[in-house]
Amino acid sequence: MKLTREIEILNSQGLHARPATALVNLTSRFKSQLFLVRDEKKINAKSILGVLVLAAEKGAKLRVEAEGTDAQQALDAIAELAVNKFGMSEE
Amino acid sequence: MNTLLKIGEFYIEAQEQLQLLLLTPEADMNRFIRTDKLNNPGLELAGFWQHFLPDRIQILTIKELNFLNNLTEAALISIFTKMFSYNIPALICICEGDIPKKICQLANDTFTPVFISRIESLRFLKEAGSYLYSKFAPRTSIHGTLIDIYGVGVLLTGRSGIGKSEIALDLVERGHRLVADDLVNVEKTSDTVLMGYAEKLLQDHIEIRGVGIINIRKTFGIRATRTRKRIEVQIELSDWNREEDVERFGLVDVYQEILDVDIPFVRLPIYPGKNVTVIAEVVALNHLLKLIGEHPAQELQENLTRQIKHKQAQHEDFGLSDDFE
């Protein structure tokens, strides 16, 4: 089962080191395969270097693809993390 | 720190280095030294005792002794009866000539150890200071393995049986040097420096489960061990756990306190197939890079931030900023 959802980056400084770290720490806990897609780039959402390559700025819209037994939970959790600005309260 | 050092031990150990000669045969050599500091009485000799520090070894140099030589015997008796009544650990005179006999006599009567040293006073103070500092240095022991990797002292810690000794063996095979396995004695030699060394009995030995005790020095030769090494990085090995966050970026340097010294700290979850040996080498090399001011994680972060800002600016050029929406 493959699920997708779109998330928007709300952090004023974009998806820099700290939010990217928060994202991979979250995605690494799921068994599903997780990908982030932006334009022609599709990266593994559990890879910190992959997430950095996206260099997602504020307002960027990313498609999350999830495939696996906990795909739905993963998408929900990632969407929630994005809404919470990846736990970066100071932004 | 509750170190106590008997004057007798001090005399035996430091006698040669400090060229000490005991002048009072009746002295009580079981008196304790309780501090690494020395005291050089000055105003006390002139009768001002309010700030006297009786816990310390008292030092008289040529200057004080010349002053005392010009005093009457009554004055000497008064000063030294007072000084010895504090039960000072010892009195050491650093001079070339003799010291007033009355002082030795009073000391002998009160069982106070009096030494004379012929070496130059500044050198004496430096050597006595460093001897005592090391005797009183804060120390502890840690369950772990200390290895010199490319000149960096790497302390491996982690639960018993996680594989510290096996990694050490692997590192020795690759040309690195074992300092201590299983039990690392740690001595704080200055505010920022921790020295690690092995327990005498265990030095050069390592236990490999399934094989037993190995003598690294005999097996691999003199290049495979060293006796002391500054502890510069700690790597804590832990069992891999999916639920736990692990370091993914290394942007912020993490430290662990040992004897109030901050030691750079890396927590490394391990699982079968992970080559911890090479990772330990990389941690050591990364530490060397940081020492010369390079910080790969921070540099990547800066490049990334620049790229994100650049994109943001492009959006604004095209009127795509949030404000515009």
Side-chain angles (χ1 to χ4, degrees), chain B residues 25-137:
Chain B
E26 302 290 323
D28 170 14
M29 300 303 272
N30 288 322
R31 287 196 184 179
F32 285 116
I33 308 172
R34 293 163 200 280
T35 158
D36 59 341
K37 308 278 190 310
L38 301 167
N39 187 43
N40 189 205
L43 287 174
E44 289 83 355
L45 307 181
F48 184 69
W49 292 88
Q50 201 177 327
H51 297 288
F52 185 56
L53 300 160
D55 274 354
R56 303 182 179 188
I57 292 181
Q58 307 296 319
I59 303 286
L60 298 179
T61 65
I62 297 166
K63 194 166 59 169
E64 289 80 36
L65 289 161
N66 278 342
F67 173 78
L68 294 170
N69 275 328
N70 289 323
L71 296 183
T72 61
E73 188 166 297
L76 275 184
I77 293 174
S78 149
I79 292 166
F80 286 93
T81 308
K82 175 89 174 170
M83 185 187 289
F84 298 151
S85 73
Y86 284 99
N87 277 321
I88 57 167
L91 174 71
I92 301 177
C93 304
I94 313 167
C95 63
E96 284 173 355
D98 290 331
I99 65 165
K101 289 215 164 43
K102 198 73 208 165
I103 297 181
C104 292
Q105 195 190 325
L106 288 166
N108 229 1
D109 293 347
T110 53
F111 312 109
T112 308
V114 174
F115 301 95
I116 190 161
S117 172
R118 303 293 186 194
I119 63 179
E120 195 266 325
S121 62
L122 277 178
R123 192 180 133 209
F124 180 92
L125 292 174
K126 193 167 161 253
E127 302 216 351
S130 82
Y131 168 84
L132 289 171
Y133 187 91
S134 130
K135 277 281 160 192
F136 286 86

Side-chain angles (χ1 to χ4, degrees), chain B residues 208-223:
Chain B
I208 298 296
R209 284 167 197 230
V211 180
I213 306 288
I214 306 283
N215 184 319
I216 289 292
R217 192 160 155 186
K218 287 187 178 157
T219 314
F220 294 91
I222 188 74
R223 63 113 184 129

